[in-house]
Amino acid sequence: GAGCNSPLDCNGAPCADAVRATRLGAFDFLEKPLDRDRVLLAVRNALERRKITQEVTKLRAAVEARHEMVGDSAAMRDLLRQIQKIGPTKGRVLITGESGTGKELIARALHSASVAASTSRGEIPFVKVNCAAIPPELIESELFGHEKGSFTGAVARKRGLFEVADGGTIFLDEIGDMSLSAQAKVLRALQQGEIVRVGSEKVLRVDCRVLAATNKDLEAEVQKGTFREDLYYRLSVIPVYSPRLRERKEDIPLLAEAFVAKCCEENGFRPKAVAPEVLARLGAYHWPGNVRELKNVMERLVIMSDDEITCNDLPDYLGGAATGVRAPFSDGVPAAPAFSAIPYASLSLREFREQSEREFIKLKLEEFSWNISRTAQALGIERTNLHKKLRALGLERQT
């Protein structure tokens, strides 16, 4: 500032001009007389800060692009309208739908809408919790934190994810797999906005929006006694349904081309065209794995095809010449030969579903030589979920 020879006043405190300039957004404050080396250092630091800011902006844009919702079907337009209405509010949302339909994308879109409507200038966190992937004995510590020495292995105090999400959004994915004891603690956090770290008696206040998602029928789980009824009603203030891909087949060409473009960019490939016949065959398929399955198929086609993706690149279950991949279902009917032995005409719907799932998982396990990680990736589920299914279905590797 003019007439100021130092950024400090006579008492050694920052002068008013320096404080005011910083509050108005100045990167640095230079006192008179100007020192050449000091000016050069300030300019260099300012340029470096600008570079970092641009890189952060670019990375954030890339992350947002990864979570972009693609589609122009009636089902997607209705879903986007719901997000626009619900997003800016603080209402709790329960997102339901099959695996692979993009429930996390819906949660992130709701969070982004709330951030856009917020007047806060600070960082607004989005914290995802995969309830199925956390062991029951650790989920309480993960969600609410713990004090040092509260249990074996607690070598330091740890903030829980509810604390981390304070002022923002916490997304409880696969909420239907949460243990009853953890459900009781989550209910208290929702009802009173209070949590207690493991090993502590101090009550902490938290203020975060809770979004939850599940591929289970929670009303049926309530009837079976595996999910708390009071928690269900707390979570499902606003229910949102994530449509299956077969309910929005008009979006398949858009999704397929978007996945192709993204995969080409990530792998440094030249852009590849998708033949119209390929899009037609993709549209005729049932897609039991939904959008996640389509994404995996398009990634495989990009890697294995030449300049254009043609019908010859398609696996046989999509009507192509490529072999080695069989479809679990075609238009909802089990495909031979893996499922031909199932006497489905004499089964109930539940029994048919369980046996079909068992045969399909067994088929995939054999395809990947019982490698659990690769099988789980191919199925589009977490390893912990696959282990649970193996136990529930009684599947064991024969030695």
Side-chain angles (χ1 to χ4, degrees):
C4 182
N5 295 322
S6 171
L8 303 178
D9 61 19
C10 297
N11 297 318
C15 74
D17 285 341
V19 172
R20 186 163 55 252
T22 303
R23 287 178 177 173
L24 290 174
F27 174 74
D28 202 347
F29 187 90
L30 302 174
E31 64 270 19
K32 293 182 178 179
L34 295 177
D35 178 82
R36 181 173 176 272
D37 292 337
R38 177 78 174 84
V39 172
L40 290 174
L41 178 63
V43 170
R44 186 182 68 184
N45 290 342
L47 291 173
E48 184 66 24
R49 179 175 177 180
R50 181 186 179 188
K51 179 182 177 182
I52 293 173
T53 301
Q54 290 175 335
E55 289 177 350
V56 170
T57 301
K58 183 178 179 180
L59 288 172
R60 283 180 174 170
V63 170
E64 290 176 2
R66 285 178 54 198
H67 300 121
E68 181 183 5
M69 300 181 68
V70 177
D72 193 39
S73 62
M76 280 300 294
R77 290 197 298 269
D78 181 59
L79 177 59
L80 292 173
R81 280 194 295 268
Q82 292 182 60
I83 290 172
Q84 289 175 356
K85 286 184 179 180
I86 302 167
T89 71
K90 293 185 176 181
R92 300 190 192 105
V93 180
L94 177 63
I95 307 167
T96 59
E98 292 183 0
S99 294
T101 55
K103 295 187 287 295
E104 182 180 346
L105 295 184
I106 295 174
R108 289 184 179 276
L110 289 168
H111 174 70
S112 296
S114 67
V115 171
S118 174
T119 57
S120 173
R121 299 184 63 183
E123 187 73 19
I124 301 178
F126 176 88
V127 177
K128 177 190 172 183
V129 184
N130 189 332
C131 301
I134 305 174
E137 63 272 15
L138 294 180
I139 193 166
E140 193 174 330
S141 169
E142 289 292 321
L143 292 177
F144 310 115
H146 61 250
E147 296 292 337
K148 180 179 179 180
S150 56
F151 55 86
T152 303
V155 296
R157 172 184 287 180
K158 177 182 177 181
R159 296 173 68 210
L161 295 176
F162 267 90
E163 280 186 78
V164 176
D166 192 24
T169 301
I170 187 167
F171 173 45
L172 302 176
D173 197 12
E174 303 296 350
I175 187 73
D177 293 315
M178 181 179 287
S179 67
L180 286 170
S181 60
Q183 289 177 31
K185 299 290 183 68
V186 170
L187 181 64
R188 175 178 178 177
L190 298 183
Q191 286 177 327
Q192 304 173 12
E194 296 177 348
I195 63 170
V196 178
R197 292 187 185 131
V198 177
S200 172
E201 296 181 356
K202 182 180 179 180
V203 176
L204 303 174
R205 298 284 303 176
V206 291
D207 180 19
C208 56
R209 184 183 192 180
V210 177
L211 308 177
T214 182
N215 58 10
K216 292 186 175 182
D217 182 351
L218 288 190
E219 291 187 1
E221 297 297 318
V222 168
Q223 295 298 320
K224 291 191 295 184
T226 58
F227 200 84
R228 293 182 62 110
E229 184 177 20
D230 45 6
L231 178 58
Y232 169 69
Y233 288 118
R234 288 280 179 179
L235 291 171
S236 61
V237 176
I238 307 172
V240 172
Y241 172 67
S242 182
R244 299 172 292 184
L245 186 55
R246 53 191 174 275
E247 295 173 340
R248 43 179 289 222
K249 285 197 170 185
E250 312 95 293
D251 294 331
I252 289 177
L254 293 173
L255 288 164
E257 292 177 351
F259 291 144
V260 168
K262 179 182 176 183
C263 186
C264 288
E265 181 183 357
E266 289 178 347
N267 290 279
F269 297 158
R270 289 181 299 177
K272 294 188 178 185
V274 183
E277 296 83 5
V278 171
L279 296 177
R281 295 190 185 185
L282 295 177
Y285 180 55
H286 192 58
W287 297 111
N290 294 295
V291 179
R292 184 185 292 122
E293 183 184 3
L294 175 62
K295 179 178 182 294
N296 292 341
V297 168
M298 299 316 297
E299 182 176 351
R300 182 167 64 245
L301 293 176
V302 168
I303 294 172
M304 301 303 294
S305 65
D306 296 323
D307 294 334
E308 182 184 30
I309 299 173
T310 67
C311 289
N312 290 332
D313 300 310
L314 292 172
D316 56 358
Y317 70 86
L318 290 174
T323 58
V325 182
R326 288 184 292 173
F329 292 94
S330 177
D331 294 329
V333 179
F339 298 90
S340 58
I342 298 177
Y344 53 85
S346 61
L347 298 178
S348 67
L349 178 61
R350 180 183 61 80
E351 292 170 333
F352 169 70
R353 185 183 296 120
E354 288 178 355
Q355 291 198 34
S356 298
E357 184 179 31
R358 188 179 190 278
E359 292 298 327
F360 176 51
I361 292 177
K362 184 178 179 182
L363 176 69
K364 284 294 184 183
L365 286 166
E366 292 172 351
E367 179 182 340
F368 294 101
S369 302
W370 283 77
N371 184 303
I372 298 298
S373 297
R374 293 179 62 197
T375 303
Q377 184 178 11
L379 293 171
I381 63 176
E382 299 287 342
R383 291 178 72 256
T384 51
N385 280 354
L386 180 55
H387 279 296
K388 289 180 181 178
K389 286 186 178 293
L390 295 183
R391 289 194 296 270
L393 297 172
L395 280 171
E396 295 182 0
R397 186 172 189 175
Q398 302 298 319
T399 57

